[in-house]
Amino acid sequence: MSFEDTVRAHAADLYRYAYWLTRDHAQAEDVVQEALLRGWRAFPRLRERAAAKAWLFSIVRNEFRRAAGAAGREESLDGVEVPDERADPAGLEMRDALRALPRAYAEPLALQVLGGFSCAEIADMIGATEGATMTRLTRARQALRRLVQPRERKAGPA
Amino acid sequence: MNCLDYRRQLLAGTGETDAMRVHRLQCAGCAAEWQEHGAFEEALRAGLEVTVPAGFAERMARAQALRRRRFLAAAATVVAAAGAGSYAWLTRPDPLALAFIDFVMKEESKAIMMGAMPRAEARKVLAGTLPLDKVERVGQVKHVGPCPFNGDTAYLIVLMVPQGKVSLLVMPSAKRSSEGHAAKEGMSAVVMPMHGGSVGIVGENHALVMDVAGALQA
């Protein structure tokens, strides 16, 4: 598969992933464009063409971190708390709830749901352990449930 | 597996394993949770799937194709420039060959007037660089004599071959590593390494010069 075909196949998901990293449409497009430029340069050296999708997602992530670092607004992935339940504005639409989610939780979720990557693959991409990645995914869903469900429906497992 | 394990794994979004399925089939609470989870996952997917700008994938793919074409065009330009440079370098007139032409056009008659050297002496002097008998096998030697050239002493040989006249300038002490060519005002010249020295051949056309050069090198 040529690089153009690879781009055609994954560009939409790369854009969505970049959006959930940047939370901004224009920045998401910039990040994907820059990432694809880097990808285009490195593509001839990519040995496993079957891994091109994960490779491109990783480049988008790196490009976002580079751009965010250059702009001095990189969000630390350590010590990020999920929204406090007491402060949760319950009953949000899912997209608004996702926007309220810290990037450290939204990112693995986007990789899992949009990219279809396994926990191990996500862990590898974000540089975390598989256990830590599972924890983030669990907490992200817990937070989203709290945010999107009306308060009276909030209940823990039996 | 208990309810807590079931719901924790469900929340991780890793899919339902066989063990989870067995538990769900025996637990009404987790079966309800499973239903709710399905709806939640659908909403989650829909929420994450933000609208991608129209034609984004195609635009990105076209940008890569354009980038590739530009790269190839730039590479072709570089190759062409390198080729042209190499051609120019290869076809650059050799300064010594040019000097030989100048000598033949302006100084040769003067050198001939200075007088020829005895053939025996010429054979001796030229033996190490270009044996005179070898020259004689190529054509008729009309003149052999010393002449000043480039601050050194060279030996001028005027040779008649069936195609016309050529002038040879033998420089026993001018070491050279490669052949050089030049053409100027209707004259052609080649200078080539010859047994530790060098020999220049000047004639009225390139073919004549190269024929004589080939015969002398044979």
Side-chain angles (χ1 to χ4, degrees):
Chain A
M1 193 186 256
S2 71
F3 187 63
E4 285 109 277
D5 291 338
T6 307
V7 167
R8 202 172 273 117
H10 304 302
D13 281 337
L14 291 172
Y15 177 88
R16 292 186 184 106
Y17 173 52
Y19 174 82
W20 288 111
L21 292 173
T22 61
R23 313 287 171 97
D24 180 271
H25 284 286
Q27 282 178 34
E29 188 160 340
D30 287 348
V31 164
V32 174
Q33 276 184 356
E34 283 302 311
L36 291 179
L37 173 60
R38 287 172 195 275
W40 178 74
R41 286 177 183 148
F43 192 68
R45 297 192 298 275
L46 179 67
R47 287 183 194 165
E48 287 182 54
R49 293 291 163 97
K53 183 181 175 183
W55 177 72
L56 283 174
F57 270 76
S58 292
I59 297 176
V60 166
R61 183 176 203 270
N62 290 339
E63 183 53 32
F64 163 71
R65 290 175 73 91
R66 196 191 62 75
R73 54 179 170 75
E74 188 174 8
E75 183 184 282
S76 169
L77 296 181
D78 301 320
V80 177
E81 295 297 328
V82 290
D84 184 348
E85 188 174 357
R86 288 162 300 181
D88 284 355
L92 287 178
E93 292 295 324
M94 180 61 86
R95 189 156 305 158
D96 292 331
L98 280 162
R99 286 196 188 102
L101 210 57
R103 190 176 292 122
Y105 292 95
E107 186 190 2
L109 209 53
L111 287 169
Q112 188 184 51
V113 178
L114 295 174
F117 298 113
S118 69
C119 266
E121 287 171 318
I122 297 167
D124 195 39
M125 284 170 164
I126 66 176
T129 64
E130 203 173 331
T133 304
M134 278 187 82
T135 302
R136 282 192 202 175
L137 287 164
T138 302
R139 288 186 181 170
R141 281 186 170 84
Q142 282 173 335
L144 286 173
R145 282 189 172 204
R146 285 199 304 271
L147 290 166
V148 298
Q149 288 173 354
R151 281 198 191 281
E152 59 269 25
R153 288 188 60 200
K154 286 179 186 173
Chain B
M1 172 169 287
N2 58 32
C3 296
L4 200 63
D5 289 337
Y6 181 88
R7 294 179 191 201
R8 201 175 55 226
Q9 287 191 36
L10 209 56
L11 281 171
T14 51
E16 195 183 49
T17 61
D18 286 345
M20 286 170 75
R21 187 169 168 274
V22 168
H23 173 79
R24 174 168 59 85
L25 293 173
Q26 295 166 352
C27 175
C30 287
E33 185 67 25
W34 167 252
Q35 291 291 325
E36 199 173 328
H37 177 75
F40 172 81
E41 287 295 310
E42 270 184 40
L44 176 58
R45 171 169 287 284
L48 284 168
E49 284 191 348
V50 290
T51 307
V52 178
F56 179 75
E58 198 49 44
R59 188 151 46 88
M60 290 296 111
R62 274 205 306 272
Q64 307 318 312
L66 184 65
R67 201 168 276 155
R68 182 166 50 83
R69 280 200 295 275
R70 280 183 185 154
F71 174 80
L72 291 175
T77 304
V78 169
V79 168
S86 302
Y87 179 77
W89 185 81
L90 288 170
T91 57
R92 190 179 53 174
D94 184 275
L96 191 58
L98 271 179
F100 280 156
I101 293 175
D102 284 341
F103 174 84
V104 169
M105 290 173 72
K106 296 169 189 167
E107 310 287 332
E108 186 181 73
S109 53
K110 228 186 289 177
I112 291 170
M113 282 170 66
M114 280 169 64
M117 64 198 294
R119 291 292 168 99
E121 189 188 340
R123 285 182 204 286
K124 209 167 152 184
V125 171
L126 298 174
T129 312
L130 181 64
L132 196 58
D133 53 345
K134 192 172 193 177
V135 180
E136 287 167 338
R137 285 199 293 272
V138 175
Q140 191 181 1
V141 175
K142 292 286 189 182
H143 171 88
V144 187
C147 59
F149 180 79
N150 263 8
D152 200 356
T153 299
Y155 296 90
L156 171 67
I157 303 174
V158 179
L159 183 68
M160 289 302 293
V161 294
Q163 302 98 308
K165 174 205 163 233
V166 290
S167 303
L168 311 182
L169 270 165
V170 183
M171 299 183 71
S173 56
K175 217 169 188 175
R176 202 179 158 89
S177 58
S178 62
E179 199 173 284
H181 300 257
K184 184 181 174 184
E185 296 177 29
M187 303 290 278
S188 285
V190 59
V191 55
M192 54 193 187
M194 187 75 82
H195 305 300
S198 56
V199 173
I201 306 167
V202 182
E204 286 187 348
N205 62 70
H206 184 68
L208 167 62
V209 166
M210 293 314 291
D211 279 351
V212 173
L216 292 176
Q217 282 174 320

PDB file of all heavy atoms in Angstrom, chain A residues 78-111:
ATOM      1  N   ASP A  78       0.932  12.994  34.230  1.00  0.00           N
ATOM      2  CA  ASP A  78       0.996  12.455  35.592  1.00  0.00           C
ATOM      3  C   ASP A  78       0.133  13.287  36.532  1.00  0.00           C
ATOM      4  O   ASP A  78       0.066  14.507  36.430  1.00  0.00           O
ATOM      5  CB  ASP A  78       2.449  12.492  36.100  1.00  0.00           C
ATOM      6  CG  ASP A  78       3.353  11.696  35.194  1.00  0.00           C
ATOM      7  OD1 ASP A  78       2.920  10.616  34.746  1.00  0.00           O
ATOM      8  OD2 ASP A  78       4.471  12.172  34.923  1.00  0.00           O
ATOM      9  N   GLY A  79      -0.481  12.608  37.430  1.00  0.00           N
ATOM     10  CA  GLY A  79      -1.232  13.303  38.471  1.00  0.00           C
ATOM     11  C   GLY A  79      -2.488  13.993  37.983  1.00  0.00           C
ATOM     12  O   GLY A  79      -2.983  14.904  38.641  1.00  0.00           O
ATOM     13  N   VAL A  80      -2.995  13.602  36.819  1.00  0.00           N
ATOM     14  CA  VAL A  80      -4.223  14.209  36.326  1.00  0.00           C
ATOM     15  C   VAL A  80      -5.409  13.512  36.986  1.00  0.00           C
ATOM     16  O   VAL A  80      -5.495  12.294  37.006  1.00  0.00           O
ATOM     17  CB  VAL A  80      -4.324  14.073  34.788  1.00  0.00           C
ATOM     18  CG1 VAL A  80      -5.656  14.642  34.303  1.00  0.00           C
ATOM     19  CG2 VAL A  80      -3.166  14.793  34.134  1.00  0.00           C
ATOM     20  N   GLU A  81      -6.276  14.305  37.537  1.00  0.00           N
ATOM     21  CA  GLU A  81      -7.430  13.735  38.241  1.00  0.00           C
ATOM     22  C   GLU A  81      -8.645  13.743  37.323  1.00  0.00           C
ATOM     23  O   GLU A  81      -8.812  14.657  36.518  1.00  0.00           O
ATOM     24  CB  GLU A  81      -7.734  14.570  39.492  1.00  0.00           C
ATOM     25  CG  GLU A  81      -6.632  14.536  40.533  1.00  0.00           C
ATOM     26  CD  GLU A  81      -6.397  13.143  41.107  1.00  0.00           C
ATOM     27  OE1 GLU A  81      -7.368  12.381  41.207  1.00  0.00           O
ATOM     28  OE2 GLU A  81      -5.234  12.826  41.420  1.00  0.00           O
ATOM     29  N   VAL A  82      -9.478  12.743  37.461  1.00  0.00           N
ATOM     30  CA  VAL A  82     -10.745  12.771  36.737  1.00  0.00           C
ATOM     31  C   VAL A  82     -11.624  13.815  37.425  1.00  0.00           C
ATOM     32  O   VAL A  82     -11.407  14.153  38.585  1.00  0.00           O
ATOM     33  CB  VAL A  82     -11.449  11.391  36.755  1.00  0.00           C
ATOM     34  CG1 VAL A  82     -10.697  10.406  35.909  1.00  0.00           C
ATOM     35  CG2 VAL A  82     -11.607  10.871  38.160  1.00  0.00           C
ATOM     36  N   PRO A  83     -12.612  14.361  36.714  1.00  0.00           N
ATOM     37  CA  PRO A  83     -13.440  15.410  37.324  1.00  0.00           C
ATOM     38  C   PRO A  83     -14.055  14.938  38.637  1.00  0.00           C
ATOM     39  O   PRO A  83     -14.478  13.792  38.777  1.00  0.00           O
ATOM     40  CB  PRO A  83     -14.517  15.639  36.265  1.00  0.00           C
ATOM     41  CG  PRO A  83     -13.897  15.197  34.981  1.00  0.00           C
ATOM     42  CD  PRO A  83     -12.998  14.068  35.341  1.00  0.00           C
ATOM     43  N   ASP A  84     -14.041  15.843  39.575  1.00  0.00           N
ATOM     44  CA  ASP A  84     -14.602  15.549  40.886  1.00  0.00           C
ATOM     45  C   ASP A  84     -16.110  15.328  40.756  1.00  0.00           C
ATOM     46  O   ASP A  84     -16.834  16.152  40.208  1.00  0.00           O
ATOM     47  CB  ASP A  84     -14.329  16.765  41.795  1.00  0.00           C
ATOM     48  CG  ASP A  84     -14.782  16.521  43.224  1.00  0.00           C
ATOM     49  OD1 ASP A  84     -15.504  15.523  43.445  1.00  0.00           O
ATOM     50  OD2 ASP A  84     -14.423  17.329  44.090  1.00  0.00           O
ATOM     51  N   GLU A  85     -16.545  14.202  41.294  1.00  0.00           N
ATOM     52  CA  GLU A  85     -17.956  13.836  41.155  1.00  0.00           C
ATOM     53  C   GLU A  85     -18.875  14.913  41.732  1.00  0.00           C
ATOM     54  O   GLU A  85     -19.924  15.219  41.160  1.00  0.00           O
ATOM     55  CB  GLU A  85     -18.231  12.506  41.856  1.00  0.00           C
ATOM     56  CG  GLU A  85     -19.621  11.978  41.589  1.00  0.00           C
ATOM     57  CD  GLU A  85     -19.820  10.594  42.170  1.00  0.00           C
ATOM     58  OE1 GLU A  85     -18.876  10.031  42.729  1.00  0.00           O
ATOM     59  OE2 GLU A  85     -20.948  10.089  42.053  1.00  0.00           O
ATOM     60  N   ARG A  86     -18.442  15.521  42.826  1.00  0.00           N
ATOM     61  CA  ARG A  86     -19.308  16.524  43.476  1.00  0.00           C
ATOM     62  C   ARG A  86     -19.474  17.761  42.596  1.00  0.00           C
ATOM     63  O   ARG A  86     -20.441  18.485  42.676  1.00  0.00           O
ATOM     64  CB  ARG A  86     -18.723  16.945  44.830  1.00  0.00           C
ATOM     65  CG  ARG A  86     -18.847  15.852  45.877  1.00  0.00           C
ATOM     66  CD  ARG A  86     -17.918  16.098  47.021  1.00  0.00           C
ATOM     67  NE  ARG A  86     -16.524  16.127  46.579  1.00  0.00           N
ATOM     68  CZ  ARG A  86     -15.488  16.309  47.369  1.00  0.00           C
ATOM     69  NH1 ARG A  86     -15.660  16.522  48.652  1.00  0.00           N
ATOM     70  NH2 ARG A  86     -14.268  16.300  46.905  1.00  0.00           N
ATOM     71  N   ALA A  87     -18.438  17.992  41.752  1.00  0.00           N
ATOM     72  CA  ALA A  87     -18.506  19.176  40.891  1.00  0.00           C
ATOM     73  C   ALA A  87     -19.066  18.845  39.505  1.00  0.00           C
ATOM     74  O   ALA A  87     -19.192  19.718  38.662  1.00  0.00           O
ATOM     75  CB  ALA A  87     -17.105  19.767  40.740  1.00  0.00           C
ATOM     76  N   ASP A  88     -19.367  17.555  39.299  1.00  0.00           N
ATOM     77  CA  ASP A  88     -19.816  17.135  37.955  1.00  0.00           C
ATOM     78  C   ASP A  88     -21.134  17.794  37.570  1.00  0.00           C
ATOM     79  O   ASP A  88     -22.116  17.703  38.302  1.00  0.00           O
ATOM     80  CB  ASP A  88     -20.042  15.617  37.922  1.00  0.00           C
ATOM     81  CG  ASP A  88     -18.739  14.863  37.865  1.00  0.00           C
ATOM     82  OD1 ASP A  88     -17.692  15.529  37.750  1.00  0.00           O
ATOM     83  OD2 ASP A  88     -18.784  13.635  37.952  1.00  0.00           O
ATOM     84  N   PRO A  89     -21.168  18.424  36.404  1.00  0.00           N
ATOM     85  CA  PRO A  89     -22.451  18.878  35.900  1.00  0.00           C
ATOM     86  C   PRO A  89     -23.146  17.703  35.213  1.00  0.00           C
ATOM     87  O   PRO A  89     -22.945  17.472  34.033  1.00  0.00           O
ATOM     88  CB  PRO A  89     -22.062  19.973  34.896  1.00  0.00           C
ATOM     89  CG  PRO A  89     -20.687  19.628  34.462  1.00  0.00           C
ATOM     90  CD  PRO A  89     -20.067  18.766  35.505  1.00  0.00           C
ATOM     91  N   ALA A  90     -23.913  16.927  35.986  1.00  0.00           N
ATOM     92  CA  ALA A  90     -24.514  15.707  35.447  1.00  0.00           C
ATOM     93  C   ALA A  90     -25.480  16.010  34.310  1.00  0.00           C
ATOM     94  O   ALA A  90     -26.063  17.093  34.231  1.00  0.00           O
ATOM     95  CB  ALA A  90     -25.241  14.972  36.563  1.00  0.00           C
ATOM     96  N   GLY A  91     -25.631  15.020  33.412  1.00  0.00           N
ATOM     97  CA  GLY A  91     -26.589  15.142  32.333  1.00  0.00           C
ATOM     98  C   GLY A  91     -26.030  15.829  31.092  1.00  0.00           C
ATOM     99  O   GLY A  91     -26.784  16.299  30.248  1.00  0.00           O
ATOM    100  N   LEU A  92     -24.712  15.871  30.971  1.00  0.00           N
ATOM    101  CA  LEU A  92     -24.100  16.475  29.780  1.00  0.00           C
ATOM    102  C   LEU A  92     -24.281  15.567  28.561  1.00  0.00           C
ATOM    103  O   LEU A  92     -24.442  14.360  28.693  1.00  0.00           O
ATOM    104  CB  LEU A  92     -22.592  16.668  30.001  1.00  0.00           C
ATOM    105  CG  LEU A  92     -22.117  17.767  30.934  1.00  0.00           C
ATOM    106  CD1 LEU A  92     -20.590  17.718  31.007  1.00  0.00           C
ATOM    107  CD2 LEU A  92     -22.559  19.132  30.442  1.00  0.00           C
ATOM    108  N   GLU A  93     -24.237  16.155  27.392  1.00  0.00           N
ATOM    109  CA  GLU A  93     -24.159  15.359  26.173  1.00  0.00           C
ATOM    110  C   GLU A  93     -22.797  14.674  26.176  1.00  0.00           C
ATOM    111  O   GLU A  93     -21.830  15.203  26.741  1.00  0.00           O
ATOM    112  CB  GLU A  93     -24.272  16.270  24.944  1.00  0.00           C
ATOM    113  CG  GLU A  93     -25.629  16.907  24.748  1.00  0.00           C
ATOM    114  CD  GLU A  93     -26.729  15.891  24.466  1.00  0.00           C
ATOM    115  OE1 GLU A  93     -26.430  14.896  23.766  1.00  0.00           O
ATOM    116  OE2 GLU A  93     -27.851  16.074  24.962  1.00  0.00           O
ATOM    117  N   MET A  94     -22.725  13.533  25.514  1.00  0.00           N
ATOM    118  CA  MET A  94     -21.477  12.764  25.534  1.00  0.00           C
ATOM    119  C   MET A  94     -20.276  13.587  25.050  1.00  0.00           C
ATOM    120  O   MET A  94     -19.199  13.547  25.641  1.00  0.00           O
ATOM    121  CB  MET A  94     -21.625  11.506  24.672  1.00  0.00           C
ATOM    122  CG  MET A  94     -20.387  10.638  24.619  1.00  0.00           C
ATOM    123  SD  MET A  94     -19.877  10.004  26.239  1.00  0.00           S
ATOM    124  CE  MET A  94     -20.888   8.525  26.331  1.00  0.00           C
ATOM    125  N   ARG A  95     -20.488  14.360  23.968  1.00  0.00           N
ATOM    126  CA  ARG A  95     -19.339  15.107  23.445  1.00  0.00           C
ATOM    127  C   ARG A  95     -18.862  16.164  24.439  1.00  0.00           C
ATOM    128  O   ARG A  95     -17.656  16.364  24.604  1.00  0.00           O
ATOM    129  CB  ARG A  95     -19.669  15.737  22.094  1.00  0.00           C
ATOM    130  CG  ARG A  95     -18.429  16.324  21.437  1.00  0.00           C
ATOM    131  CD  ARG A  95     -18.545  16.419  19.953  1.00  0.00           C
ATOM    132  NE  ARG A  95     -18.861  15.150  19.342  1.00  0.00           N
ATOM    133  CZ  ARG A  95     -19.425  15.016  18.146  1.00  0.00           C
ATOM    134  NH1 ARG A  95     -19.748  16.080  17.444  1.00  0.00           N
ATOM    135  NH2 ARG A  95     -19.675  13.830  17.653  1.00  0.00           N
ATOM    136  N   ASP A  96     -19.781  16.807  25.096  1.00  0.00           N
ATOM    137  CA  ASP A  96     -19.392  17.798  26.099  1.00  0.00           C
ATOM    138  C   ASP A  96     -18.699  17.108  27.273  1.00  0.00           C
ATOM    139  O   ASP A  96     -17.735  17.644  27.845  1.00  0.00           O
ATOM    140  CB  ASP A  96     -20.627  18.565  26.592  1.00  0.00           C
ATOM    141  CG  ASP A  96     -21.211  19.443  25.489  1.00  0.00           C
ATOM    142  OD1 ASP A  96     -20.432  19.876  24.622  1.00  0.00           O
ATOM    143  OD2 ASP A  96     -22.444  19.645  25.486  1.00  0.00           O
ATOM    144  N   ALA A  97     -19.208  15.930  27.604  1.00  0.00           N
ATOM    145  CA  ALA A  97     -18.592  15.170  28.691  1.00  0.00           C
ATOM    146  C   ALA A  97     -17.162  14.786  28.312  1.00  0.00           C
ATOM    147  O   ALA A  97     -16.238  14.872  29.130  1.00  0.00           O
ATOM    148  CB  ALA A  97     -19.418  13.916  28.981  1.00  0.00           C
ATOM    149  N   LEU A  98     -16.979  14.398  27.051  1.00  0.00           N
ATOM    150  CA  LEU A  98     -15.636  14.043  26.581  1.00  0.00           C
ATOM    151  C   LEU A  98     -14.704  15.255  26.633  1.00  0.00           C
ATOM    152  O   LEU A  98     -13.534  15.134  26.969  1.00  0.00           O
ATOM    153  CB  LEU A  98     -15.698  13.494  25.150  1.00  0.00           C
ATOM    154  CG  LEU A  98     -16.131  12.027  25.030  1.00  0.00           C
ATOM    155  CD1 LEU A  98     -16.572  11.713  23.606  1.00  0.00           C
ATOM    156  CD2 LEU A  98     -14.995  11.091  25.440  1.00  0.00           C
ATOM    157  N   ARG A  99     -15.243  16.407  26.302  1.00  0.00           N
ATOM    158  CA  ARG A  99     -14.434  17.637  26.346  1.00  0.00           C
ATOM    159  C   ARG A  99     -14.041  17.976  27.783  1.00  0.00           C
ATOM    160  O   ARG A  99     -12.995  18.591  28.010  1.00  0.00           O
ATOM    161  CB  ARG A  99     -15.198  18.805  25.720  1.00  0.00           C
ATOM    162  CG  ARG A  99     -15.265  18.710  24.206  1.00  0.00           C
ATOM    163  CD  ARG A  99     -15.676  20.030  23.574  1.00  0.00           C
ATOM    164  NE  ARG A  99     -15.912  19.838  22.152  1.00  0.00           N
ATOM    165  CZ  ARG A  99     -17.115  19.741  21.594  1.00  0.00           C
ATOM    166  NH1 ARG A  99     -18.203  19.841  22.342  1.00  0.00           N
ATOM    167  NH2 ARG A  99     -17.251  19.545  20.308  1.00  0.00           N
ATOM    168  N   ALA A 100     -14.891  17.581  28.732  1.00  0.00           N
ATOM    169  CA  ALA A 100     -14.600  17.871  30.145  1.00  0.00           C
ATOM    170  C   ALA A 100     -13.563  16.903  30.709  1.00  0.00           C
ATOM    171  O   ALA A 100     -13.006  17.131  31.780  1.00  0.00           O
ATOM    172  CB  ALA A 100     -15.884  17.781  30.962  1.00  0.00           C
ATOM    173  N   LEU A 101     -13.322  15.832  29.954  1.00  0.00           N
ATOM    174  CA  LEU A 101     -12.393  14.799  30.428  1.00  0.00           C
ATOM    175  C   LEU A 101     -10.946  15.247  30.210  1.00  0.00           C
ATOM    176  O   LEU A 101     -10.615  15.753  29.137  1.00  0.00           O
ATOM    177  CB  LEU A 101     -12.650  13.523  29.606  1.00  0.00           C
ATOM    178  CG  LEU A 101     -12.407  12.168  30.242  1.00  0.00           C
ATOM    179  CD1 LEU A 101     -13.217  11.985  31.512  1.00  0.00           C
ATOM    180  CD2 LEU A 101     -12.745  11.074  29.228  1.00  0.00           C
ATOM    181  N   PRO A 102     -10.080  15.087  31.219  1.00  0.00           N
ATOM    182  CA  PRO A 102      -8.666  15.432  31.003  1.00  0.00           C
ATOM    183  C   PRO A 102      -8.096  14.627  29.841  1.00  0.00           C
ATOM    184  O   PRO A 102      -8.511  13.487  29.600  1.00  0.00           O
ATOM    185  CB  PRO A 102      -7.984  15.036  32.315  1.00  0.00           C
ATOM    186  CG  PRO A 102      -9.079  14.975  33.320  1.00  0.00           C
ATOM    187  CD  PRO A 102     -10.300  14.569  32.569  1.00  0.00           C
ATOM    188  N   ARG A 103      -7.140  15.240  29.153  1.00  0.00           N
ATOM    189  CA  ARG A 103      -6.558  14.599  27.969  1.00  0.00           C
ATOM    190  C   ARG A 103      -5.974  13.225  28.289  1.00  0.00           C
ATOM    191  O   ARG A 103      -6.054  12.313  27.479  1.00  0.00           O
ATOM    192  CB  ARG A 103      -5.472  15.506  27.395  1.00  0.00           C
ATOM    193  CG  ARG A 103      -4.962  15.080  26.044  1.00  0.00           C
ATOM    194  CD  ARG A 103      -3.962  16.071  25.492  1.00  0.00           C
ATOM    195  NE  ARG A 103      -4.593  17.327  25.164  1.00  0.00           N
ATOM    196  CZ  ARG A 103      -4.245  18.504  25.671  1.00  0.00           C
ATOM    197  NH1 ARG A 103      -3.257  18.587  26.531  1.00  0.00           N
ATOM    198  NH2 ARG A 103      -4.864  19.608  25.329  1.00  0.00           N
ATOM    199  N   ALA A 104      -5.408  13.093  29.471  1.00  0.00           N
ATOM    200  CA  ALA A 104      -4.780  11.823  29.858  1.00  0.00           C
ATOM    201  C   ALA A 104      -5.787  10.676  29.858  1.00  0.00           C
ATOM    202  O   ALA A 104      -5.396   9.515  29.739  1.00  0.00           O
ATOM    203  CB  ALA A 104      -4.150  11.953  31.233  1.00  0.00           C
ATOM    204  N   TYR A 105      -7.078  11.009  29.996  1.00  0.00           N
ATOM    205  CA  TYR A 105      -8.111   9.967  29.980  1.00  0.00           C
ATOM    206  C   TYR A 105      -8.807   9.886  28.625  1.00  0.00           C
ATOM    207  O   TYR A 105      -9.178   8.804  28.181  1.00  0.00           O
ATOM    208  CB  TYR A 105      -9.126  10.222  31.100  1.00  0.00           C
ATOM    209  CG  TYR A 105      -8.493  10.029  32.453  1.00  0.00           C
ATOM    210  CD1 TYR A 105      -7.975  11.098  33.163  1.00  0.00           C
ATOM    211  CD2 TYR A 105      -8.357   8.743  32.973  1.00  0.00           C
ATOM    212  CE1 TYR A 105      -7.350  10.909  34.370  1.00  0.00           C
ATOM    213  CE2 TYR A 105      -7.732   8.545  34.200  1.00  0.00           C
ATOM    214  CZ  TYR A 105      -7.223   9.632  34.890  1.00  0.00           C
ATOM    215  OH  TYR A 105      -6.579   9.425  36.080  1.00  0.00           O
ATOM    216  N   ALA A 106      -8.965  11.031  27.996  1.00  0.00           N
ATOM    217  CA  ALA A 106      -9.635  11.033  26.691  1.00  0.00           C
ATOM    218  C   ALA A 106      -8.761  10.370  25.630  1.00  0.00           C
ATOM    219  O   ALA A 106      -9.271   9.706  24.724  1.00  0.00           O
ATOM    220  CB  ALA A 106      -9.951  12.466  26.273  1.00  0.00           C
ATOM    221  N   GLU A 107      -7.443  10.538  25.770  1.00  0.00           N
ATOM    222  CA  GLU A 107      -6.555  10.025  24.731  1.00  0.00           C
ATOM    223  C   GLU A 107      -6.599   8.499  24.595  1.00  0.00           C
ATOM    224  O   GLU A 107      -6.821   7.995  23.494  1.00  0.00           O
ATOM    225  CB  GLU A 107      -5.121  10.500  24.969  1.00  0.00           C
ATOM    226  CG  GLU A 107      -4.218  10.090  23.823  1.00  0.00           C
ATOM    227  CD  GLU A 107      -2.754  10.313  24.077  1.00  0.00           C
ATOM    228  OE1 GLU A 107      -2.385  10.759  25.185  1.00  0.00           O
ATOM    229  OE2 GLU A 107      -1.982  10.033  23.163  1.00  0.00           O
ATOM    230  N   PRO A 108      -6.398   7.745  25.700  1.00  0.00           N
ATOM    231  CA  PRO A 108      -6.476   6.285  25.519  1.00  0.00           C
ATOM    232  C   PRO A 108      -7.852   5.826  25.057  1.00  0.00           C
ATOM    233  O   PRO A 108      -7.968   4.854  24.306  1.00  0.00           O
ATOM    234  CB  PRO A 108      -6.136   5.725  26.908  1.00  0.00           C
ATOM    235  CG  PRO A 108      -6.183   6.857  27.844  1.00  0.00           C
ATOM    236  CD  PRO A 108      -6.007   8.109  27.058  1.00  0.00           C
ATOM    237  N   LEU A 109      -8.868   6.568  25.475  1.00  0.00           N
ATOM    238  CA  LEU A 109     -10.225   6.232  25.052  1.00  0.00           C
ATOM    239  C   LEU A 109     -10.366   6.397  23.530  1.00  0.00           C
ATOM    240  O   LEU A 109     -10.930   5.545  22.842  1.00  0.00           O
ATOM    241  CB  LEU A 109     -11.199   7.160  25.785  1.00  0.00           C
ATOM    242  CG  LEU A 109     -12.598   6.652  26.074  1.00  0.00           C
ATOM    243  CD1 LEU A 109     -12.575   5.317  26.808  1.00  0.00           C
ATOM    244  CD2 LEU A 109     -13.355   7.693  26.913  1.00  0.00           C
ATOM    245  N   ALA A 110      -9.847   7.510  23.023  1.00  0.00           N
ATOM    246  CA  ALA A 110      -9.909   7.754  21.579  1.00  0.00           C
ATOM    247  C   ALA A 110      -9.117   6.693  20.822  1.00  0.00           C
ATOM    248  O   ALA A 110      -9.554   6.206  19.772  1.00  0.00           O
ATOM    249  CB  ALA A 110      -9.365   9.145  21.263  1.00  0.00           C
ATOM    250  N   LEU A 111      -7.961   6.327  21.370  1.00  0.00           N
ATOM    251  CA  LEU A 111      -7.148   5.294  20.705  1.00  0.00           C
ATOM    252  C   LEU A 111      -7.874   3.956  20.697  1.00  0.00           C
ATOM    253  O   LEU A 111      -7.813   3.207  19.719  1.00  0.00           O
ATOM    254  CB  LEU A 111      -5.793   5.153  21.413  1.00  0.00           C
ATOM    255  CG  LEU A 111      -4.801   6.297  21.186  1.00  0.00           C
ATOM    256  CD1 LEU A 111      -3.618   6.185  22.136  1.00  0.00           C
ATOM    257  CD2 LEU A 111      -4.306   6.299  19.741  1.00  0.00           C
TER     258      LEU A 111
END
